[in-house]
Amino acid sequence: MKFLRIGEDSFKCMVTLEDLQPIGCTFTDIIKDQAGLQSLLDMVIEEAEDKIGYVIDSTRVVVNLQLVDSSSAVVTVSSCNEDKDFPELPPLLSQVPDSLLGNAVQDTRQSDAPDSFAENKIIFCFESFKNLEGYAAAYPFATGIFNSVYKDDAKGVYYLCFETSGINPGDVDVVCSFTLEYARQCPYWDNFYEYCNEHFTCLLKANAIEKLAEFAV
């Protein structure tokens, strides 16, 4: 598991099927059974205390699970006392599209192969070009993962898409953890490029991060 502290009372954690082995669960179990979710939460919080010093001292906890693909997920945990405003989080699995959820429930345990989807894409949404530019300037990794950027002119947001086919899952986890500091992750889109080419403006078709970093102020 890889952890990212996003606030005093919140953190994100990248979890893979391999991480779930100690509790004997799959993502299918977690999706279908509240006990599976509780086992995951107990394990993540225990590990978070050891790795990032996160200690729950509150009366309320909210957990959000967002599947990256059928073999990994991002877990967001936030806690708050009764006398404070509770941070807004989407409810459990709210961002998981039906196609991905159905695939995961059908057989998560057989989805370890990197080509479990015809297209391996991880998509992030940036609320402004300034955020995207700042992200590109701070990006600390070699741009070995194919990436492109589209703009939704109607909403004024930007989509960064990583092509992860053939990339080491550990490298993908690290990149995702870093990117989540700047953007929110979007559901998997089966026809991402077709939809973007029809509805959005393609700003950078390839090596987007590298090109943005060159001109970042």
Side-chain angles (χ1 to χ4, degrees):
M1 287 181 282
K2 298 182 184 300
F3 291 85
L4 174 66
R5 196 70 177 257
I6 57 175
E8 182 180 354
D9 301 307
S10 305
F11 69 88
K12 291 181 181 290
C13 175
M14 179 71 73
V15 181
T16 66
L17 281 176
E18 184 178 355
D19 295 323
L20 298 180
Q21 290 179 1
I23 59 174
C25 286
T26 66
F27 288 119
T28 300
D29 301 323
I30 293 167
I31 292 168
K32 296 172 67 176
D33 184 10
Q34 185 70 25
L37 174 61
Q38 186 61 54
S39 296
L40 171 64
L41 181 59
D42 291 343
M43 180 182 68
V44 167
I45 290 178
E46 181 179 352
E47 193 78 7
E49 182 175 354
D50 179 58
K51 290 189 174 180
I52 60 173
Y54 180 86
V55 178
I56 289 183
D57 183 19
S58 65
T59 56
R60 294 185 291 172
V61 175
V62 165
V63 58
N64 170 257
L65 173 69
Q66 183 177 355
L67 293 176
V68 175
D69 54 33
S70 56
S71 62
S72 61
V74 174
V75 178
T76 304
V77 176
S78 289
S79 61
C80 186
N81 292 313
E82 291 288 352
D83 58 347
K84 294 182 180 180
D85 292 332
F86 199 76
E88 291 188 5
L89 271 181
L92 177 66
L93 297 174
S94 65
Q95 298 183 47
V96 180
D98 292 340
S99 59
L100 177 54
L101 183 57
N103 186 298
V105 171
Q106 181 179 3
D107 194 352
T108 317
R109 287 165 291 187
Q110 297 180 10
S111 302
D112 293 336
D115 293 325
S116 53
F117 292 110
E119 297 176 292
N120 293 272
K121 299 180 181 65
I122 301 178
I123 306 157
F124 294 92
C125 180
F126 291 78
E127 296 300 326
S128 69
F129 186 77
K130 182 179 180 180
N131 287 352
L132 177 61
E133 189 178 44
Y135 164 79
Y139 190 82
F141 315 108
T143 53
I145 305 178
F146 181 88
N147 57 91
S148 54
V149 168
Y150 287 80
K151 180 184 179 183
D152 182 343
D153 294 304
K155 296 182 178 180
V157 298
Y158 299 80
Y159 291 98
L160 170 66
C161 179
F162 288 108
E163 293 274 359
T164 62
S165 179
I167 304 299
N168 184 297
D171 294 338
V172 175
D173 288 352
V174 172
V175 169
C176 286
S177 294
F178 176 79
T179 307
L180 286 168
E181 296 184 51
Y182 294 82
R184 61 179 174 84
Q185 190 173 341
C186 300
Y188 175 87
W189 298 358
D190 287 323
N191 301 303
F192 175 79
Y193 288 119
E194 290 82 355
Y195 185 89
C196 285
N197 287 327
E198 181 177 350
H199 298 279
F200 301 156
T201 300
C202 178
L203 298 183
L204 295 166
K205 190 72 174 179
N207 300 321
I209 297 173
E210 182 178 7
K211 293 174 182 177
L212 285 169
E214 291 178 4
F215 299 100
V217 177

